[in-house]
Amino acid sequence: MTKAKKIINFLFSRVVIISLCILIQLAWWVFVFFYLTRVSNVVSMLVRAMGLLIVLWIANKKMNPSYKLLWTMLILTSPVLGVGIYFLLGESRVARKMQHNYEKVLQQEKHLIQENVQTRKELDEKNFDISNQSRYIRDFSAFPLQEHTECEYYKSGEDMFYPLLEALRKAEHFIFLEYFIIGEGVMWSSVLEILEEKAQAGVDVRLIFDDWGCITTLPYHFYKELQKKGIQCAAFNPFRPVMNIILNNRDHRKICVVDGYIGFTGGINLADEYINRKKRFGYWKDTAIRLKGEGVWNLTVMFLQMWSVVTRTEVSFANYQPHCYHPQPFEGEGFVQPYCDTPLDNEVVGENVYMNMINRASRYVYICTPYLIIDNEMMTSLCLAAKSGVNVRIITPGIPDKKIVFLLTQSYYEQLIEAGVEIYEYQPGFVHAKSFVCDDELAVIGTINMDYRSLYLHFENGVWIYGNHVVYDMKADYLEMLKDCKKIDLEFCRKRSALARAFQSILRLMAPLI
């Protein structure tokens, strides 16, 4: 393809057309409001009064202080623009109808995800403090503690790729896939080939993809092409050229379930950079986990909840339980608890699970995250743990995927290092893994980044693990990564120019929107 043709294709691409439509709407809205406030003192006073009322409402709202500061500053500085942006992006929830449907599905199927009393009793007897952390997940994410589940940890996308394909090939009854990004290439074409074969053989194949996540990687109406192949497919929150608050909430989850008792999750999407077949930012370091057993039920329920909401159809959850197609008992050590977090319930489960681990750690907490854009609560937890003698280590990318976001990430280093937190940057490339390991007994792996979008705005999922050998596998991988990392010191933080520091200060203020 010639360079000129590439430029033409880009200019007429869906993302450019939609972005242009939204910019035109925004420009028109701003023009109308500024014009009205200039020619009419009454309108101007009404807008300012509205801004003041919104600020007072925000001040008394159950909201993270970082968001309160940002919206207060924007609205008081520029009432017209601030009020407009707040109505566009200020609420971390999707449309009321989706919220209602999501809660309705949860209530209808609640009886199928009740916790086994004996399982809880066993964990209480082993470690009551750890059990309390698990109990929080159960009570506020609605997903129970599970045992009898085998776990296998993958320290890279390429390590996970072939086991994933093997599991898909062995599917006999159903395959459920839910991913933020799908990109055309070796990985997706290999998966798609198997999905087509299985669909033709009568296997129930379903796929959910996030429309915004795939806006530059998949053709428009991609789901229709898959439906022609016998694959049930739906786009989460289709991205339309209309300014709307729900565009801010995306499905960032990564879930694969096969026949109800095999499940995969982690940071890995279905695109070639995740298996290093395509080089973008050096070596792409990612992680994933494979579950086999009763713990997969939580992942299945997550998928079916989302499927019911997105497709507006009713599904009999009972037909997809782990023992439906695996009547024999499952093996497995320790406990697992796959869980999800949503922007619908005003409960930041993802962040609280992380902070529970940090606050209750006694020896160490090892963290991998592609982005480190944290609020005051998380900053306090990390610093207090380090000051209390806990070895807190954080690995971030050495080669970023988004330079401004990386500059914002680095703005948090100095305060953390001063408190005793150790910061490392992974030199071979980009770290996309999202994982916590704590005290040789507890770990979390999943899709949840340490940034505002993952913690407050997106649908996410993770797996909480206790007493399983995977915890040691994750620790070993972490220590191996450190050999390829550069430790950041205070000199690195303090030698930045005044201009760079000023820019980072502005980014910190705008962090909840980045």
Side-chain angles (χ1 to χ4, degrees):
M1 186 182 293
T2 64
K3 188 175 181 180
K5 192 171 182 180
K6 287 182 179 179
I7 294 173
I8 292 172
N9 287 343
F10 172 75
L11 292 176
F12 286 93
S13 66
R14 185 178 171 218
V15 66
V16 171
I17 293 172
I18 288 178
S19 299
L20 184 60
C21 289
I22 291 176
L23 284 174
I24 291 172
Q25 292 174 69
L26 181 61
W28 172 251
W29 175 86
V30 171
F31 169 77
V32 169
F33 270 80
F34 272 107
Y35 176 77
L36 289 175
T37 54
R38 277 180 173 274
V39 300
S40 172
N41 290 331
V42 174
V43 172
S44 180
M45 290 177 63
L46 286 174
V47 171
R48 292 178 184 279
M50 184 188 299
L52 183 58
L53 289 173
I54 291 174
V55 166
L56 292 174
W57 181 68
I58 289 172
N60 291 280
K61 194 170 185 253
K62 185 181 177 183
M63 181 188 290
N64 186 280
S66 298
Y67 280 99
K68 289 186 179 183
L69 177 61
L70 171 63
W71 293 122
T72 299
M73 183 203 71
L74 281 176
I75 293 170
L76 293 182
T77 303
S78 178
V80 175
L81 193 60
V83 169
I85 295 176
Y86 179 77
F87 280 123
L88 181 63
L89 301 174
E91 295 289 338
S92 59
R93 67 174 185 267
V94 295
R96 291 185 182 275
K97 187 174 182 180
M98 176 178 274
Q99 181 178 356
H100 172 75
N101 292 341
Y102 196 86
E103 291 173 351
K104 181 180 176 182
V105 173
L106 281 174
Q107 291 302 316
Q108 287 175 342
E109 306 299 333
K110 195 173 183 179
H111 65 286
L112 292 174
I113 51 174
Q114 294 300 308
E115 187 171 84
N116 185 296
V117 176
Q118 184 59 34
T119 299
R120 174 59 58 186
K121 184 178 178 181
E122 289 176 15
L123 184 55
D124 281 343
E125 291 173 352
K126 285 181 179 291
N127 191 318
F128 199 80
D129 180 66
I130 292 290
S131 186
N132 276 340
Q133 295 188 48
S134 164
R135 196 172 278 109
Y136 167 79
I137 297 173
R138 179 200 66 192
D139 292 344
F140 290 93
S141 181
F143 288 94
L145 179 69
Q146 305 279 8
E147 53 183 342
H148 308 132
T149 306
E150 297 176 18
C151 302
E152 185 171 355
Y153 172 72
Y154 301 108
K155 61 183 181 180
S156 68
E158 47 268 42
D159 283 353
M160 186 209 74
F161 182 37
Y162 292 105
L164 174 68
L165 295 181
E166 181 183 7
L168 294 175
R169 289 192 187 100
K170 290 182 178 179
E172 296 180 352
H173 305 282
F174 67 88
I175 296 171
F176 295 157
L177 299 168
E178 181 179 345
Y179 285 90
F180 180 61
I181 293 175
I182 299 173
E184 295 180 331
V186 174
M187 188 177 193
W188 172 240
S189 62
S190 301
V191 170
L192 180 58
E193 182 180 357
I194 298 172
L195 298 183
E196 288 184 50
E197 292 175 0
K198 291 299 177 179
Q200 291 172 6
V203 174
D204 181 4
V205 182
R206 307 187 192 190
L207 170 67
I208 300 172
F209 66 95
D210 185 86
D211 197 50
W212 171 252
C214 300
I215 196 168
T216 61
T217 61
L218 292 178
Y220 188 46
H221 283 162
F222 164 78
Y223 67 94
K224 291 185 177 180
E225 295 302 315
L226 264 61
Q227 289 171 353
K228 292 177 183 177
K229 301 175 188 291
I231 299 168
Q232 300 182 68
C233 184
F236 174 85
N237 199 2
F239 196 77
R240 297 183 176 90
V242 179
M243 291 191 298
N244 194 312
I245 196 170
I246 66 171
L247 299 180
N248 216 23
N249 303 105
R250 309 310 317 177
D251 182 0
H252 194 245
R253 308 193 312 196
K254 290 95 179 166
I255 296 172
C256 171
V257 175
V258 177
D259 290 344
Y261 62 91
I262 299 290
F264 294 82
T265 191
I268 301 166
N269 284 297
L270 302 180
D272 282 0
E273 58 265 40
Y274 296 88
I275 57 172
N276 284 290
R277 294 294 185 95
K278 178 180 178 182
K279 296 293 182 182
R280 295 186 64 196
F281 313 105
Y283 180 78
W284 191 289
K285 170 64 177 175
D286 221 323
T287 56
I289 189 170
R290 174 184 181 268
L291 306 178
K292 179 181 179 181
E294 294 175 2
V296 178
W297 176 233
N298 292 23
L299 294 176
T300 305
V301 171
M302 288 177 212
F303 176 88
L304 290 174
Q305 286 173 351
M306 187 64 78
W307 182 265
S308 297
V309 172
V310 172
T311 64
R312 299 187 180 95
T313 59
E314 292 187 5
V315 182
S316 178
F317 285 30
N319 295 334
Y320 302 96
Q321 295 182 82
H323 285 293
C324 284
Y325 302 111
H326 192 288
Q328 305 87 358
F330 293 109
E331 298 180 357
E333 58 182 332
F335 303 85
V336 300
Q337 194 169 9
Y339 63 95
C340 71
D341 191 10
T342 87
L344 304 179
D345 57 6
N346 295 315
E347 182 73 23
V348 284
V349 172
E351 182 174 39
N352 289 339
V353 169
Y354 284 165
M355 288 199 297
N356 247 335
M357 294 179 69
I358 296 165
N359 295 337
R360 296 167 185 249
S362 58
R363 292 186 291 121
Y364 75 84
V365 179
Y366 296 161
I367 301 168
C368 260
T369 181
Y371 316 114
L372 187 64
I373 305 172
I374 53 179
D375 58 18
N376 184 67
E377 289 80 359
M378 180 63 77
M379 176 66 78
T380 300
S381 291
L382 291 167
C383 291
L384 182 58
K387 290 176 180 178
S388 301
V390 177
N391 182 206
V392 182
R393 301 182 182 185
I394 303 175
I395 294 179
T396 62
I399 302 176
D401 65 334
K402 304 175 184 72
K403 291 184 178 179
I404 288 181
V405 174
F406 186 56
L407 191 62
L408 178 55
T409 286
Q410 290 182 325
S411 74
Y412 292 88
Y413 286 178
E414 186 172 352
Q415 185 177 348
L416 290 167
I417 294 171
E418 286 177 339
V421 177
E422 298 177 26
I423 306 289
Y424 299 85
E425 288 184 353
Y426 182 68
Q427 297 304 292
F430 180 61
V431 173
H432 192 254
K434 311 98 168 38
S435 62
F436 274 55
V437 184
C438 177
D439 292 343
D440 285 356
E441 57 184 6
L442 190 61
V444 168
I445 181 172
T447 71
I448 308 169
N449 298 319
M450 293 182 72
D451 66 1
Y452 284 89
R453 292 207 158 270
S454 270
L455 299 176
Y456 289 91
L457 298 175
H458 291 169
F459 291 81
E460 304 278 359
N461 74 279
V463 182
W464 182 93
I465 308 160
Y466 173 71
N468 189 285
H469 71 276
V470 158
V471 176
Y472 295 97
D473 295 340
M474 292 174 66
K475 179 185 178 182
D477 184 35
Y478 194 94
L479 295 176
E480 192 67 26
M481 284 181 68
L482 287 176
K483 297 176 183 178
D484 294 319
C485 290
K486 172 186 175 183
K487 187 175 183 180
I488 305 301
D489 55 24
L490 284 174
E491 183 183 358
F492 171 87
C493 302
R494 292 171 177 170
K495 70 180 182 181
R496 289 170 297 188
S497 67
L499 183 62
R501 283 176 173 271
F503 185 55
Q504 286 179 318
S505 297
I506 296 172
L507 290 177
R508 285 281 288 269
L509 190 60
M510 302 299 294
L513 293 182
I514 294 177

